[in-house]
Amino acid sequence: MYRGYGNPEDDWASLGVNTLLKRDPIFNKLYNWSYDDGTCLGAVYNIYQLKKQSKMLEYCKSNFDRYLDSQGNIHDYVAEDLALDDICNGKSLLDLYHETKDLKYKKAADKLYEQLKMQPRTEEGTFWHKKRYPSQVWLDGLYMGSVFYAKYQKMFNLDDRYDDVVHQFLSAYKVTLDDESGLCYHAYDEARQQPWVNKETGHSPHFWTRAIGWFVMAMADVLEYLPEDIEGRKQIIDNLDHLLKALKDYSDPQTHLWYQVTDEIDRPMNYIEQSGSSMILAAMAKGVRMGYLNASDYEDFIEKGWVNSLEQFITITNEGYVNTNRTCQVGGLGGPNKRDGSYAYYMSEPVISNDHKGYGAFLYLAYEMEQRKVNN
C-alpha cells in the first residue's frame, strides 16, 4: 500500500472505528431504520469486544438509542412491510441487551423476531426478501434476517426454530447455485414472473459480488449460534467452503480481490469492488479462525487479499481519517426503477467513498486481521 498511509500490520480496526467516532458522531443523519447501521455498527461492536474501549460501545448505544423508546418501539420501522432488510439491526439490539440488560433492546428485538414468524415464504419455505418482492429469494436476505433468527434463539434459549434457520441457508443455496461455476446468483424468482428472471432456472442474470459477500458472511456468522449437533450444520459449512473455493477461482489473480460482476473480469467497465471483496475475505478469515475451513486452503490467499485491499480501497485524509473507496452504492432487482439485473445495470450504479455498508465490510475484515494477531 502507499507508504504514507502506514502498513498492513497497523491496527486498522481501531483506526477505522476512531474515524467514525470523529467524522460521523451521528451515524445515520437520515434517521431511517437502515440495515447499513446494523452492518457497520455491528462491526464496531466486534472491535469493541476485542479492544475493550468503552467509547466504541457508547457509540453503538447512542446511535441505536435514537430509534427506540422505553417500550422498544422503533422509529421508522414498519413491520407490515415484511422486509428482511429491517431485521439486520436486530443483531446489534441483542448485543446492546447483552451489555446493558436494558429491556427496551429486548422488546425491540422481540418485535423483529415476531416479524420473522409472519414473513411470507416460497413454496419450499424460504423467506421472501420483502412483501413487495413476492416469491423472491435474494442472497442479501440471509445476512439481514436469518443470522438474527438464530442469534435470538440462542440468547433466549429457544430451540423450536433452529431447523428453520438451517432450512433458510440450505434452500437459498440450492435455488441460487450455478452448478457449472459454483457461484450463487444474486436472486431467484420461484414464480418466474419478474422481468429479470431466467424463465428456465428462476435465476437473475448475473453474479453480483456483494450479494455473494453478504451470503458467505452470513454463513460464517450463523454457525456461531447453531447447536453443534443440529442436522444440516455441516452442510452449511460444506456450502461455505465450496462457494469460497469457487470465489477464489473467479478472483483477480493479481490482487485476490473481486470485480463488481463476479465472473466477467475482462469485460469493459467492470471494476474491482470494495464492499464485496472485503466481505468475502472477512468470511474466509472468520471461517479459518473458527475452524470451519482448512487453513492451508486459504491462509496465503487471505494475506495477499488483505494487503491488496488496503492498496486498492483505502486512502487517508489530512485529518488522519480512513476512507473506503470504490464501493458500489446499491444493487437490486426490479422495484420502482425496474432494475433489470443486466450487466449494464450493475455498471450504472454509482461508485462512491465511505458508504456505510462498505465501511462496515472493511471493519469486519480489519477485525478479523486483528484477531489473527491475537491468536498468533
Side-chain angles (χ1 to χ4, degrees):
M1 63 181 304
Y2 175 62
R3 288 177 300 183
Y5 297 159
N7 63 70
E9 287 72 40
D10 290 343
D11 182 0
W12 289 97
S14 294
L15 290 169
V17 174
N18 288 331
T19 293
L20 288 179
L21 268 60
K22 295 173 184 176
R23 185 168 60 197
D24 294 322
I26 297 175
F27 185 80
N28 185 338
K29 297 176 181 62
L30 296 177
Y31 196 34
N32 59 336
W33 186 245
S34 169
Y35 66 86
D36 294 41
D37 298 22
T39 300
C40 198
L41 295 176
V44 173
Y45 178 77
N46 281 3
I47 294 166
Y48 156 73
Q49 288 186 302
L50 191 62
K51 302 297 180 178
K52 301 302 181 186
Q53 295 182 18
S54 59
K55 64 182 180 179
M56 297 180 179
L57 176 61
E58 181 55 35
Y59 182 69
C60 297
K61 183 177 181 301
S62 64
N63 276 289
F64 276 111
D65 282 351
R66 299 172 63 224
Y67 292 91
L68 306 181
D69 66 18
S70 62
Q71 297 306 306
N73 295 309
I74 304 170
H75 170 78
D76 195 47
Y77 166 63
V78 181
E80 292 75 18
D81 287 348
L82 296 170
L84 290 180
D85 289 347
D86 290 341
I87 304 294
C88 184
N89 296 346
K91 292 173 282 187
S92 292
L93 299 179
L94 295 177
D95 291 333
L96 291 170
Y97 178 67
H98 170 75
E99 293 288 341
T100 68
K101 298 301 184 286
D102 188 329
L103 283 174
K104 71 182 179 184
Y105 300 117
K106 181 182 186 301
K107 290 175 180 178
D110 291 345
K111 298 178 192 300
L112 300 179
Y113 190 72
E114 287 302 311
Q115 179 191 313
L116 289 178
K117 293 181 181 179
M118 301 184 294
Q119 195 71 19
R121 300 168 180 254
T122 66
E123 291 184 8
E124 198 170 87
T126 316
F127 290 145
W128 292 6
H129 191 61
K130 299 179 182 181
K131 182 172 69 175
R132 64 189 178 95
Y133 294 150
S135 303
Q136 297 171 50
V137 178
W138 293 23
L139 292 182
D140 333 8
L142 282 299
Y143 184 84
M144 303 303 166
S146 293
V147 178
F148 169 81
Y149 198 15
K151 185 171 183 172
Y152 183 99
Q153 291 181 71
K154 183 171 184 179
M155 178 169 282
F156 300 115
N157 298 310
L158 307 175
D159 60 7
D160 59 327
R161 292 176 181 264
Y162 279 130
D163 288 343
D164 193 32
V165 175
V166 171
H167 178 73
Q168 297 306 314
F169 280 87
L170 298 186
S171 60
Y173 181 83
K174 175 184 173 183
V175 299
T176 59
L177 178 66
D178 174 63
D179 290 328
E180 183 176 348
S181 66
L183 300 174
C184 289
Y185 285 95
H186 185 171
Y188 167 78
D189 172 21
E190 179 185 54
R192 314 291 204 271
Q193 292 182 348
Q194 297 305 310
W196 47 259
V197 75
N198 180 315
K199 300 295 185 183
E200 293 184 8
T201 66
H203 294 148
S204 57
H206 285 285
F207 307 111
W208 181 41
T209 290
R210 186 157 77 222
I212 302 175
W214 290 123
F215 192 31
V216 292
M217 279 215 308
M219 285 192 275
D221 285 350
V222 79
L223 292 165
E224 288 188 73
Y225 309 117
L226 294 175
E228 292 280 344
D229 60 350
I230 192 167
E231 184 177 356
R233 185 178 187 274
K234 183 180 183 302
Q235 188 60 56
I236 294 175
I237 295 173
D238 289 346
N239 292 352
L240 174 63
D241 190 33
H242 292 156
L243 183 48
L244 288 173
K245 284 177 177 173
L247 284 162
K248 285 175 63 179
D249 291 339
Y250 285 93
S251 66
D252 173 57
Q254 300 302 314
T255 63
H256 290 190
L257 303 171
W258 288 268
Y259 280 70
Q260 164 79 336
V261 174
T262 317
D263 63 330
E264 301 206 36
I265 291 177
D266 297 327
R267 192 162 175 179
M269 296 184 65
N270 207 1
Y271 60 94
I272 294 175
E273 198 277 334
Q274 179 268 322
S275 63
S277 294
S278 297
M279 289 175 178
I280 294 165
L281 288 170
M284 285 183 180
K286 182 171 185 176
V288 169
R289 175 171 63 85
M290 299 295 291
Y292 309 141
L293 306 174
N294 187 333
S296 64
D297 292 335
Y298 294 98
E299 285 285 359
D300 291 345
F301 190 97
I302 293 166
E303 292 292 339
K304 184 173 181 180
W306 165 242
V307 171
N308 284 310
S309 73
L310 293 172
E311 181 177 293
Q312 294 289 324
F313 304 134
I314 299 302
T315 54
I316 306 296
T317 70
N318 290 336
E319 301 94 334
Y321 295 162
V322 178
N323 283 357
T324 54
N325 304 282
R326 287 168 52 181
T327 309
C328 175
Q329 185 172 23
V330 69
L333 297 159
N337 296 331
K338 299 181 180 179
R339 299 167 293 185
D340 65 0
S342 64
Y343 182 85
Y345 162 69
Y346 288 109
M347 294 304 108
S348 74
E349 289 290 3
V351 180
I352 63 173
S353 298
N354 297 326
D355 173 85
H356 281 157
K357 298 180 293 297
Y359 211 93
F362 160 70
L363 290 179
Y364 279 117
L365 176 55
Y367 165 78
E368 288 298 335
M369 301 313 289
E370 279 297 294
Q371 282 278 24
R372 293 162 80 82
K373 297 179 193 176
V374 172
N375 295 333
N376 290 337

